[in-house]
Amino acid sequence: MGDGGRRPVKRTRTFEEVLTQIERRIAADGLTAGDRLPAERRLAEELGVSRSSVREALRVLESLGVVSSQVGRGPDAGAVLTSRPETALADLLRLHLGMAGLELREVIGTRHMIEQWAASHAASARADTSALAAALSGMDGARTAEEFVEHDTAFHCAIADASGNRLVAAIMRSLRDSMRRYAVEAVERLGDTAILRADHVRILRAVEAGDADEAARAVAEHLAHAYPSLSGH
């Protein structure tokens, strides 16, 4: 019997390298959401490391939303793979954005590029716009700037989702979450959200019509209305 091509992990390796081996194991075995990893003890034996190293690596995977530990099932109960890769990536990106101390103009500039692309692709694909329409309805019923921004965020994330690119969607979520406070302040400065609503309707109509160029233009002009001091960059 062979070892399936797996190499023992040297005991001097850190938990990050154990983590890499576990990730390779997941890929090599073709495991998907709902499947169970081998028990902690068995993983430690197969990888040639201590159970504490395996435990630490599994904790990292759990914090990233890749696995879920089975509380109360004992040390031999293997962790179960979960299905939140996009959420996990968005959480990780948001954390890095927060620590990077990026300027608002940098975040808006990135949004400008990503969201124009996303809106254009969503329109070209004649993507489902029900989530955009629902978010627009939520904005209409919003009573505070915070509530408006909540639905506004849902609208723009729905554009990214409609592009069909999950990485773009994850990046958009992290960008929006990182600038939530600035978005609320922008809405409060405007006071009247009529122009933002008109922009959203324009974007929605362009995507529905399959007009990629108009969808991209509508997004660009919308960001200029929301953040006028940053327009032109």
Side-chain angles (χ1 to χ4, degrees):
M1 292 177 62
D3 63 359
R6 299 188 196 100
R7 300 188 310 275
V9 181
K10 294 179 181 178
R11 293 181 186 279
T12 55
R13 288 187 176 179
T14 62
F15 86 92
E16 287 94 342
E17 288 154 320
V18 177
L19 181 63
T20 299
Q21 289 283 28
I22 293 175
E23 290 171 342
R24 286 176 183 163
R25 168 77 186 252
I26 292 171
D29 290 356
L31 300 180
T32 58
D35 290 338
R36 190 183 298 276
L37 284 174
E40 181 183 290
R41 181 183 305 157
R42 184 176 155 199
L43 270 176
E45 291 173 353
E46 290 182 358
L47 299 178
V49 297
S50 67
R51 287 177 63 178
S52 62
S53 294
V54 170
R55 195 174 300 125
E56 190 171 4
L58 289 174
R59 262 201 302 267
V60 172
L61 288 174
E62 184 169 19
S63 71
L64 294 175
V66 177
V67 303
S68 174
S69 62
Q70 301 298 292
V71 180
R73 301 285 294 275
D76 290 327
V80 175
L81 293 183
T82 58
S83 56
R84 300 192 302 113
E86 297 87 358
T87 301
L89 179 57
D91 291 344
L92 194 59
L93 285 170
R94 186 178 65 248
L95 178 62
H96 280 290
L97 282 172
M99 293 189 299
L102 298 174
E103 294 182 14
L104 182 59
R105 64 175 181 79
E106 295 174 297
V107 177
I108 296 299
T110 303
R111 270 193 65 191
H112 191 279
M113 292 185 288
I114 290 176
E115 202 161 351
Q116 279 189 294
W117 182 93
S120 175
H121 277 68
S124 295
R126 293 294 184 100
D128 178 21
T129 57
S130 57
L132 279 76
L136 184 59
S137 177
M139 281 184 273
D140 287 342
R143 297 185 178 182
T144 65
E146 289 82 1
E147 193 176 342
F148 181 91
V149 167
E150 178 184 346
H151 295 293
D152 176 68
T153 296
F155 182 91
H156 290 277
C157 287
I159 293 174
D161 289 337
S163 76
N165 187 310
R166 290 179 296 173
L167 181 56
V168 165
I171 292 172
M172 177 56 68
R173 281 184 170 78
S174 64
L175 289 174
R176 284 306 307 247
D177 286 347
S178 71
M179 60 177 289
R180 188 177 298 274
R181 175 169 60 87
Y182 300 106
V184 171
E185 291 173 355
V187 171
E188 289 174 339
R189 276 197 305 273
L190 280 173
D192 184 3
T193 58
I195 189 168
L196 299 184
R197 187 190 189 284
D199 287 344
H200 289 133
V201 170
R202 181 183 172 192
I203 294 169
L204 174 59
R205 297 290 177 257
V207 174
E208 286 178 333
D211 191 335
D213 291 340
E214 168 62 8
R217 279 194 302 271
V219 164
E221 291 179 24
H222 169 62
L223 290 176
H225 290 152
Y227 302 96
S229 64
L230 301 174
S231 61
H233 295 283

